[in-house]
Amino acid sequence: MKTFSKRALLRASAAPAILGASLIATAAFAQDAPQAADAEAADTIIVTGSLIKNPNLAQSTPVLATTSDEIDLRQSNNAEQLLREIPGVVPSIGSAVNNGNGGASTLNLRGLGSNRNLVLVDGRRMVPYGLGGVFDLNNIPLALVERVDVLTGGASTTYGADAIAGVANFILKKDFSGFEANLSEQLTDDGDGNTFRADVTMGANFDDGRGNAVFSIGYQEVDPVYQGARSFSSTYLESYLAECTSCQGSGTSTPTRMSLPGVGTRQISADGNSLVPTYQTYNFNPYNIFQTPFKRFNMFGSANYEISDSVKAYTRGMFSKNTVNTIIAPSGAFALSVVIPYSNPYLTDGIRNQFCNANGLTTAQCSAAAAATDPTSADYRTFNTTISRRAVEAGPRISEFKTTFFDYALGFQGDIGSHLSWDVGGSYGESEQVQTQKGYTLNSRFRNALLATNTTTCLDGSETCVPVNIFGPTGSITQDMVDYLSANSQITTKTTLAQAHATLSGDFGVTSPLASNPIGFAVGGEYRKYTASIESDLLSQANDLGGAGGAQPNVNGGFDVYEAYGELIAPLIEDRPFAKLLSVGAGVRYSSYSVDAPTSPSYDTWTYKFEGSWAPVADLKFRGNYSRAVRAPNVSELFTPVTVGLTNLGTDPCAGSAPLANANLAAVCLAQGAPASTIGFIDQPSAAQANASNGGNLNIKPETSDSWGVGATFTPTFLPGFNATIDYYNIKVKNAITSPTPGDAIAACFDNLTADSASKPACTSIGRSEDGSLNGTATGLYLPLSNTGRLKTDGIDLSLNYKHEFDFATLTLGFNGNWTNSSKFQALPTSLNRDCVGYYSVNCASIQPKFQWSQRTTFTFGDVDLSLLWRHINKVKYEPAQLQADMDAAEALNRDADGNLLPVADQGCPDYAGADEGGCVVDSQFRKIKSYDYFDLTARAQVSDNVTLTFTVMNMFDKKPPILGGSVGSTSYNSGNTYPSTYDALGRKFAVSAKMKF
């Protein structure tokens, strides 16, 4: 438990509040129109970034395509793993996130948040998995993916709201005929983390080729990898005090820690006879996991049939059932306020006497209270305290997420003459996630079980209540006690999406006088209806589960939107001197939203785009684009009631001795609800987590973004097989739907304290518990939702590809890199405009390096491929703004209310720039991460006409992740003393797969 004061983390966890409601570019190719090649293979052409389905018309928005061949070489098992390592994608919630994983995997494009990009399947939305409106990547049938197109920048004109950062479009195989089976197995060098996957796909043409039907079925199972199974993560390290053995872990420990009036929090001694200063915190790392266990069963079917020469029907159905388990350390009483009789049978004489003295009881009164077992006795007395007791006897906390997903589509498309085509269709999808929380003890039952004066019955009169012994060592809570204390809880989340569309596209049959291709267009309309709900049992609604993070209220809401849109692409000049191509394009979309609420909120939005391309010669093309995009508030942001949950906060200004030397600070702490007896003894937030109150807001409106980009493609005729693209992007979001960060809330109150601060709303909106802390029953920080945020990012994408045939082999080289210049966010107009590129801290969530690339080299010798993938992550360091805030806060804690330097013995952070025994700044050893390079080697051989075998060694040099401790970043991404979503925590892994085609 951290008992020191370090306002280092006052600006904590900004990114989760702003960005969340959070490529490999190996042989992936950056290109203009990956759909052109598909035109020969199928009648249905999918153009990512445009509704105009003419592959001959050049697009001006860059698209990075990852092919099915690359997926095979990587032996990717799910879409999140594939996308996570693409340069420009920031790791989001996925298989490497444990505490903070909601049973799904998501995409965070450009670091703007998973709710600011769209995931599409064949250009269409799928039903989201939760109230945040985000699609679960676990539902993607990876065996059927032909390619993945990633488009950067606002795409709301083409796809509607939410496509602020861009889209990831999974293009599935069309007109599949035959039989294909895939089997794969993966295992780490340590012998754990086994991953098994099997897929079978079959398809056939019928009625003389007029129709085609495809069906695929798949199964996947992934075993966990525990942090206790790796030497670097088996023991929790405190990032601020790595050398302090009593500071490593959580203050909710064994033996029990209890608040003693006028003294502060103390821990039961090893012999159980007294309360002493904390000497043993709880090492929770061994229970936690680096790889979440996962099971998936999925089915996919599609069919199309030519009803006539001009009309075609198509249908598609997707189904999956996923089970994700998150596993964390045991439950218990987390800063739980309780009432205990002095006659509790397990209370030892020494501890009883300490409470008697602290509460002013005489020796005679104390002895009489110890003997009074009848609550009606005049001598019967109780005392109040706050306890922190880890229920290790109950085993780990397990949250089992079972998600059932289906999405069905039906449509018709056809031609009108030689210039026009039409497409009318609709789809409906549902997602139901049942979360079962196991291994949790209940706060109410801890309270009941402590109100006892004998070892067999409780004072509440319940026949099932078993008095609990929290005064002994590990094992003092027996199995009968565990059975009474524990109960399972269930939360059910349901979402639906109904949508319909009608599009007319083609060309006007006229051309520019200087061009050969006609002017293309698309017009149409779209309707979408979202509903979402959460149904929680009474235990979850009442926040009765020990260590569950807060109450989960029932939520029910929805909205619908009607849209009309149009796009235009006009080739102006073609095949002329200094103008091999000159084209322009534009688009517009109108959207009308209605929210299903009593006040019937509604709003209209306009989005638009302009783009252009100029190729002075065939080898070189320049392109540019500008777009206005929007993101509408989702069901969670609109309808979630204000509740108390957890956020990341390592330092509380009221903790420790600081208020004793500063009257203004003490007055604020008292005004926030801290009892006078706790001043000088308040604990820091347990495990760097504090309570926070936030929720939805029906008054928020859509946020808007402006994005633009310029770039060039180079395909020199003097170097056959080579192509290069370079693109600059710039995205700005205004009126962003955000909450204040914990740092904003703390700074608004505690910066520049005066005698009037105790009455300021910024201070009185913060609520404290009975022990003065921001844990337990505290309402915590107040973080309301509003449209006051701002976001901005810009950078450069570079792609290089080369293929050359030698006499003995074919060489293929691919390079994709991203350089991010900035990624700034500002929650409030008065808060810091924070840039997290190249930095890590609790403010910056997942790591976004300044430069990142992937390079693949493949030699093909007949039927054998030998391929090496090189992944580079540039160096990063601890956020300078946070380090300076740490030091400024430390200096302030060394001075009194008048700014005078206190004697060293009274200073909160003596020598913070040197030995820093108070742990006020992050240890110097944890302030930087060097550049990281990973190498994956793959060998693939076609051993017969029908069988292909693939062998891969991932992280072939078994590079260990950087060690940073467990409190330097946010809980979701800084886990196991490292950042497992960014750096490989599993170690060397071996993979083998077999593909059979007939």
Side-chain angles (χ1 to χ4, degrees):
M1 183 68 179
K2 294 172 238 175
T3 57
F4 45 89
S5 184
K6 50 174 174 50
R7 245 171 88 209
L9 304 184
L10 298 189
R11 293 165 169 57
S13 195
I18 296 176
L19 303 182
S22 206
L23 281 211
I24 108 169
T26 55
F29 298 95
Q31 52 192 36
D32 295 311
Q35 66 283 351
D38 296 68
E40 301 175 1
D43 295 330
T44 302
I45 301 170
I46 298 173
V47 182
T48 299
S50 177
L51 296 170
I52 301 173
K53 303 184 184 304
N54 185 345
N56 296 317
L57 297 180
Q59 308 300 312
S60 299
T61 304
V63 175
L64 178 70
T66 302
T67 66
S68 59
D69 185 68
E70 175 61 25
I71 297 173
D72 290 343
L73 287 174
R74 288 191 49 79
Q75 302 213 52
S76 301
N77 282 300
N78 60 62
E80 184 269 332
Q81 289 179 348
L82 175 70
L83 295 175
R84 185 200 306 169
E85 295 172 355
I86 297 178
V89 171
V90 177
S92 188
I93 300 300
S95 60
V97 173
N98 181 39
N99 192 353
N101 189 322
S105 297
T106 60
L107 169 68
N108 183 3
L109 185 58
R110 305 300 182 192
L112 293 178
S114 59
N115 57 351
R116 292 188 177 87
N117 47 234
L118 279 179
V119 175
L120 310 172
V121 176
D122 287 337
R124 297 295 175 191
R125 296 173 185 243
M126 300 286 106
V127 61
Y129 80 93
L131 275 62
V134 178
F135 178 70
D136 182 3
L137 292 171
N138 289 329
N139 295 317
I140 293 292
L142 210 58
L144 281 171
V145 173
E146 181 68 33
R147 73 175 192 272
V148 186
D149 293 346
V150 177
L151 177 149
T152 293
S156 292
T157 302
T158 304
Y159 299 112
D162 306 333
I164 280 182
V167 301
N169 191 10
F170 289 83
I171 311 300
L172 304 185
K173 297 174 182 177
K174 304 293 187 301
D175 292 334
F176 181 88
S177 181
F179 176 90
E180 180 177 297
N182 295 273
L183 293 172
S184 69
E185 190 84 21
Q186 297 183 7
L187 194 68
T188 71
D189 200 23
D190 288 272
D192 55 9
N194 182 71
T195 300
F196 171 78
R197 177 182 159 204
D199 298 283
V200 174
T201 304
M202 61 190 76
N205 297 316
F206 58 91
D207 196 9
D208 295 328
R210 296 179 64 186
N212 176 266
V214 179
F215 179 75
S216 178
I217 188 170
Y219 177 77
Q220 182 177 350
E221 185 169 350
V222 180
D223 291 342
V225 175
Y226 285 87
Q227 293 178 5
R230 300 292 186 269
S231 60
F232 58 84
S233 57
S234 60
T235 300
Y236 176 87
L237 295 177
E238 169 51 56
S239 302
Y240 285 76
L241 272 177
E243 307 305 323
C244 175
T245 57
S246 65
C247 304
Q248 310 306 318
S250 170
T252 302
S253 182
T254 57
T256 303
R257 299 172 70 246
M258 310 177 71
S259 62
L260 188 63
V263 178
T265 300
R266 292 293 184 263
Q267 188 166 26
I268 295 176
S269 61
D271 61 11
N273 290 324
S274 62
L275 292 174
V276 298
T278 298
Y279 62 92
Q280 182 171 302
T281 51
Y282 184 73
N283 178 26
F284 49 77
N285 270 20
Y287 288 92
N288 290 348
I289 50 180
F290 279 132
Q291 178 172 280
T292 54
F294 173 62
K295 290 183 180 180
R296 178 181 65 193
F297 173 76
N298 64 277
M299 293 188 294
F300 176 89
S302 68
N304 60 79
Y305 183 73
E306 293 182 5
I307 300 174
S308 68
D309 290 342
S310 58
V311 178
K312 182 179 182 179
Y314 60 89
T315 185
R316 181 264 301 149
M318 294 175 61
F319 171 86
S320 69
K321 189 167 186 176
N322 308 320
T323 301
V324 177
N325 287 332
T326 61
I327 306 172
I328 56 179
S331 182
F334 289 76
L336 182 66
S337 60
V338 297
V339 178
I340 301 176
Y342 282 95
S343 53
N344 184 289
Y346 298 113
L347 182 63
T348 62
D349 291 340
I351 296 176
R352 180 187 297 111
N353 290 335
Q354 285 180 278
F355 275 102
C356 286
N357 292 332
N359 289 312
L361 272 65
T362 66
T363 301
Q365 289 173 325
C366 190
S367 297
T373 59
D374 185 350
T376 63
S377 169
D379 294 323
Y380 175 82
R381 296 175 184 266
T382 61
F383 61 88
N384 297 323
T385 185
T386 297
I387 64 170
S388 296
R389 173 43 156 99
R390 184 75 60 164
V392 295
E393 297 88 348
R397 287 169 284 172
I398 300 175
S399 287
E400 179 186 74
F401 299 88
K402 287 189 174 182
T403 303
T404 303
F405 160 94
F406 78 83
D407 200 286
Y408 177 75
L410 174 67
F412 301 88
Q413 57 187 203
D415 299 324
I416 303 175
S418 60
H419 295 284
L420 299 176
S421 63
W422 55 271
D423 187 339
V424 176
S427 66
Y428 177 78
E430 290 185 5
S431 175
E432 180 182 78
Q433 183 191 81
V434 179
Q435 178 189 3
T436 304
Q437 299 175 95
K438 307 174 183 179
Y440 282 82
T441 58
L442 305 185
N443 296 331
S444 60
R445 293 187 184 178
F446 253 116
R447 291 187 172 108
N448 290 342
L450 285 170
L451 272 174
T453 56
N454 63 66
T455 61
T456 58
T457 61
C458 304
L459 295 180
D460 71 344
S462 170
E463 293 183 0
T464 59
C465 183
V466 179
V468 62
N469 180 9
I470 65 166
F471 302 100
T474 300
S476 64
I477 298 181
T478 66
Q479 188 58 51
D480 287 343
M481 297 174 186
V482 169
D483 292 342
Y484 169 70
L485 292 173
S486 305
N488 291 349
S489 179
Q490 197 167 89
I491 301 170
T492 301
T493 302
K494 297 180 180 180
T495 58
T496 69
L497 171 59
Q499 54 186 332
H501 71 272
T503 303
L504 179 68
S505 64
D507 63 71
F508 293 105
V510 297
T511 63
S512 164
L514 301 177
S516 56
N517 279 298
I519 299 172
F521 76 94
V523 294
E526 190 169 347
Y527 170 78
R528 296 189 302 278
K529 171 69 175 179
Y530 289 92
T531 68
S533 66
I534 292 179
E535 297 179 7
S536 304
D537 63 18
L538 294 178
L539 296 179
S540 290
Q541 291 184 50
N543 191 23
D544 204 12
L545 277 66
Q552 177 55 70
N554 288 339
V555 183
N556 188 30
F559 62 89
D560 59 9
V561 55
Y562 291 87
E563 298 181 312
Y565 50 79
E567 287 190 29
L568 186 74
I569 296 180
L572 302 180
I573 304 175
E574 292 179 297
D575 299 318
R576 304 287 176 168
F578 303 107
K580 181 68 177 177
L581 170 68
L582 178 63
S583 69
V584 295
V588 64
R589 179 179 290 245
Y590 168 75
S591 304
S592 179
Y593 290 84
S594 297
V595 179
D596 298 337
T599 56
S600 300
S602 62
Y603 32 79
D604 301 334
T605 64
W606 287 90
T607 60
Y608 45 84
K609 68 175 182 179
F610 304 97
E611 58 187 27
S613 297
W614 173 49
V617 293
D619 295 3
L620 180 64
K621 187 181 80 170
F622 301 98
R623 57 194 179 193
N625 61 84
Y626 170 84
S627 63
R628 163 66 60 89
V630 300
R631 184 180 77 85
N634 54 51
V635 173
S636 176
E637 293 165 332
L638 290 167
F639 292 95
T640 301
V642 175
T643 56
V644 178
L646 286 177
T647 190
N648 287 107
L649 185 71
T651 298
D652 176 3
C654 289
S657 60
L660 298 176
N662 189 323
N664 293 336
L665 175 58
V668 168
C669 302
L670 291 169
Q672 293 172 350
S677 61
T678 66
I679 299 300
F681 306 107
I682 296 173
D683 282 338
Q684 294 289 356
S686 180
Q689 292 179 313
N691 291 0
S693 299
N694 53 25
N697 181 357
L698 281 170
N699 295 316
I700 56 176
K701 303 297 182 183
E703 58 188 29
T704 60
S705 76
D706 293 291
S707 62
W708 61 275
V710 293
T713 65
F714 183 48
T715 54
T717 54
F718 61 82
L719 185 59
F722 176 81
N723 66 76
T725 68
I726 185 169
D727 291 278
Y728 171 80
Y729 59 89
N730 187 299
I731 305 170
K732 294 181 180 179
V733 184
K734 60 183 179 181
N735 302 320
I737 302 170
T738 60
S739 296
T741 69
D744 293 329
I746 292 291
C749 172
F750 292 97
D751 282 2
N752 303 313
L753 286 174
T754 66
D756 297 328
S757 295
S759 59
K760 289 171 49 180
C763 290
T764 57
S765 63
I766 298 174
R768 298 182 175 276
S769 64
E770 295 87 344
D771 63 354
S773 75
L774 294 174
N775 294 121
T777 59
T779 56
L781 309 180
Y782 181 53
L783 309 176
L785 204 63
S786 68
N787 281 110
T788 58
R790 294 173 57 192
L791 302 167
K792 176 189 177 295
T793 187
D794 69 319
I796 295 175
D797 291 326
L798 174 66
S799 176
L800 306 170
N801 296 285
Y802 179 66
K803 185 174 183 178
H804 183 77
E805 294 186 5
F806 298 95
D807 293 338
F808 63 93
T810 299
L811 171 65
T812 304
L813 300 173
F815 174 93
N816 281 291
N818 169 258
W819 174 76
T820 304
N821 179 52
S822 66
S823 182
K824 296 182 179 181
F825 59 89
Q826 188 175 24
L828 297 169
T830 56
S831 32
L832 176 66
N833 193 15
R834 192 180 300 274
D835 191 348
C836 282
V837 173
Y839 305 133
Y840 58 89
S841 72
V842 290
N843 307 306
C844 296
S846 195
I847 289 178
Q848 186 173 12
K850 195 80 172 177
F851 190 32
Q852 184 178 13
W853 78 69
S854 293
Q855 191 278 321
R856 184 177 287 282
T857 300
T858 302
F859 280 97
T860 301
F861 306 89
D863 294 331
V864 177
D865 296 318
L866 189 63
S867 186
L868 179 68
L869 172 63
W870 174 15
R871 295 177 284 130
H872 175 81
I873 303 171
N874 204 39
K875 62 183 179 180
V876 294
K877 64 180 180 179
Y878 186 66
E879 184 194 8
Q882 185 61 68
L883 181 60
Q884 186 60 53
D886 289 355
M887 293 184 173
D888 291 344
E891 180 64 23
L893 291 171
N894 291 340
R895 298 178 180 274
D896 62 19
D898 297 322
N900 301 313
L901 191 66
L902 296 167
V904 173
D906 297 329
Q907 292 180 5
C909 296
D911 194 22
Y912 61 83
D916 190 26
E917 295 180 359
C920 297
V921 297
V922 167
D923 276 13
S924 58
Q925 62 180 312
F926 299 145
R927 295 183 192 173
K928 61 181 178 181
I929 304 174
K930 63 181 181 180
S931 295
Y932 261 66
D933 295 279
Y934 293 105
F935 296 90
D936 304 338
L937 182 64
T938 298
R940 180 173 60 184
Q942 186 173 344
V943 297
S944 72
D945 291 341
N946 307 111
V947 179
T948 300
L949 299 179
T950 305
F951 303 88
T952 301
V953 182
M954 306 170 189
N955 188 6
M956 60 186 297
F957 298 116
D958 198 23
K959 193 173 184 66
K960 306 301 181 186
I963 306 305
L964 304 165
S967 58
V968 75
S970 69
T971 301
S972 294
Y973 299 103
N974 176 207
S975 179
N977 300 325
T978 188
Y979 277 78
S981 294
T982 302
Y983 304 98
D984 183 8
L986 305 185
R988 185 187 296 117
K989 183 188 287 188
F990 303 95
V992 58
S993 67
K995 176 181 290 187
M996 292 158 281
K997 300 178 69 173
F998 300 94

